[in-house]
Amino acid sequence: MSYFSAVDPQCTENPGSVALSIAAREKDLGDFTVRRVLPSRKRRMVGPFIFFDHMGPAELPPGKGVQVRPHPHIGLATVTYLFEGEIIHRDSLGVVQPIRPGAVNLMTAGRGIVHSERAGEDLDTRSHLHGIQSWIALPDAVEEMEPAFAHYRADDIPEFERDGVAVRVVMGEAKGQRSPVKSYSPTLYLECRMPAGSRFLAPQTPRELAVYVVAGEVAIDECAYPEGVMVVAAPGVHLSIDARRDSHVIIIGGDPVGPRHIWWNLVSSSRERIERAKDDWRHGRFTPVPGDSEFIPLPD
C-alpha cells in the first residue's frame, strides 16, 4: 500500500528562482505504487536525468514485494537508491546484487542489457519499500558502449553536515565531497535531511538543477512545496531551500546531453535505434538473464 496523496504547490505562480514545478503522478505497479516525476509534459529531462520514480513508501504484507521480470534497456544508466527495504538485481551480465538502504546500484545499459528486480530476503515477512529509481541518458559518445554494472556500498557514499542539514553525495561533487559513483557527463545527485527551520544552498555548478521533496515541506522564495513535488530551478540561480517542517529532499541535475527519445525502457538519440531495439526484444535477440526464463513482453 502507498501513503501518498498528491498535493499541488501552495503558490499560484512560480517565484523568480523557479522555472517550474512538477507534481508526481501515481502509477500502480500492483503490489505498490510509484510516483512518477520525469518525464512529464512540463519537462522531459533535468540535465541527463530522463526518468525519476519515487517508490513508496509502501508497507508490504508477507509474500508481496517488487517482482519486475526481465526487461531490456539501451542508451541509459539506471541509478537505484533505497531509503528502506531490499531489492535483488539480476542482469544479463550474470550479476546478482542485493541493494539495501544507502547503497547505489549503477547499471549502464549502453548497447543493451536485460535485468530483473525482485524482492529480497524480506519477501516472507512484513516489509517496507522506499526509494528512488532514476535513469540517466548517456552522452552520444557512449550510447553504444558495452553494458556494465557497479555496486557502491552505503559507506562508500560521502556525507557532510552544513548548518544542521545532513547531506549524502550520491553522484557528483558538493562542498568539497566527491562521490565515487561513475558519471558519464557532469551530474549531481544529493540526498538531504533537513530539520525544520534549516536552510540549504544548492550548488550552482550544474547547468540544470531540480529539488524533489521526498517528505515534509520546503519553501523556495517563500513559496511552499510539499511532498511529491519536483521544483526545477531557473537557469543560473543559486537555489535557497528552507525546511518548513522536518524534510527529506533529493537534488538532481547536471549538463544536458542533447535531445533524447524514450519509449518504454529504451532511450536513444535516434528513433531508428529504438525501433531496432524493439525488434530485437520482440525476436529474442537480447542476451537473457541467466537462469530466468521469464520476461516482460514488448508493449503493444
Side-chain angles (χ1 to χ4, degrees):
M1 64 182 290
S2 169
Y3 303 100
F4 176 63
S5 175
V7 180
D8 289 327
Q10 298 169 15
C11 291
T12 56
E13 59 183 41
N14 293 318
S17 58
V18 173
L20 58 95
S21 59
I22 305 167
R25 299 122 38 219
E26 281 200 347
K27 297 286 184 180
D28 187 355
L29 299 186
D31 290 330
F32 64 99
T33 60
V34 299
R35 303 176 230 184
R36 185 150 301 162
V37 185
L38 296 176
S40 81
R41 292 175 182 173
K42 288 185 174 181
R43 182 85 175 222
R44 291 180 61 81
M45 300 175 69
V46 175
F49 288 86
I50 194 168
F51 182 91
F52 189 100
D53 262 9
H54 180 184
M55 302 179 289
E59 182 177 319
L60 303 166
K64 300 292 185 181
V66 177
Q67 294 295 339
V68 181
R69 293 169 291 160
H71 57 279
H73 290 286
I74 64 165
L76 59 85
T78 65
V79 184
T80 306
Y81 187 70
L82 297 183
F83 311 128
E84 292 183 279
E86 178 181 82
I87 295 175
I88 304 296
H89 163 96
R90 293 180 174 85
D91 65 38
S92 50
L93 301 175
V95 173
V96 179
Q97 177 63 60
I99 183 171
R100 301 182 180 94
V104 177
N105 275 3
L106 177 71
M107 184 188 75
T108 305
R111 63 175 177 77
I113 198 168
V114 178
H115 78 131
S116 66
E117 294 168 298
R118 302 186 191 270
E121 295 178 353
D122 55 1
L123 179 62
D124 296 329
T125 63
R126 183 169 294 278
S127 62
H128 293 82
L129 180 67
H130 193 198
I132 303 292
Q133 177 81 67
S134 55
W135 300 352
I136 292 173
L138 296 175
D140 293 353
V142 293
E143 272 194 292
E144 294 295 321
M145 67 176 284
E146 290 296 309
F149 179 86
H151 174 77
Y152 301 86
R153 300 173 304 170
D155 57 8
D156 292 333
I157 306 303
E159 304 177 356
F160 65 88
E161 185 174 311
R162 183 64 56 91
D163 299 327
V165 178
V167 182
R168 305 190 83 229
V169 186
V170 180
M171 297 182 78
E173 183 177 6
K175 313 296 184 184
Q177 298 289 327
R178 178 178 290 276
S179 171
V181 178
K182 184 176 179 61
S183 299
Y184 294 96
S185 62
T187 304
L188 182 69
Y189 189 148
L190 307 179
E191 179 191 12
C192 304
R193 304 275 183 167
M194 303 183 65
S198 63
R199 171 174 291 181
F200 184 71
L201 294 178
Q204 277 186 296
T205 48
R207 288 173 55 191
E208 298 183 354
L209 184 138
V211 177
Y212 177 73
V213 185
V214 176
E217 181 179 274
V218 304
I220 297 170
D221 291 354
E222 299 186 2
C223 180
Y225 298 96
E227 173 183 339
V229 172
M230 177 174 282
V231 182
V232 181
V237 169
H238 199 180
L239 209 62
S240 178
I241 308 161
D242 293 294
R244 292 197 167 183
R245 304 199 304 266
D246 288 350
S247 297
H248 183 189
V249 305
I250 294 290
I251 298 175
I252 60 168
D255 290 356
V257 296
R260 288 295 181 270
H261 305 287
I262 180 170
W263 186 88
W264 190 37
N265 303 308
L266 311 172
V267 169
S268 179
S269 59
S270 163
R271 291 186 186 276
E272 292 75 19
R273 180 66 181 91
I274 287 181
E275 290 303 316
R276 181 154 57 92
K278 289 164 64 175
D279 191 62
D280 287 343
W281 184 247
R282 185 183 292 114
H283 292 96
R285 300 189 192 106
F286 277 85
T287 302
V289 176
D292 195 335
S293 60
E294 291 190 302
F295 65 95
I296 300 177
L298 194 74
D300 293 333

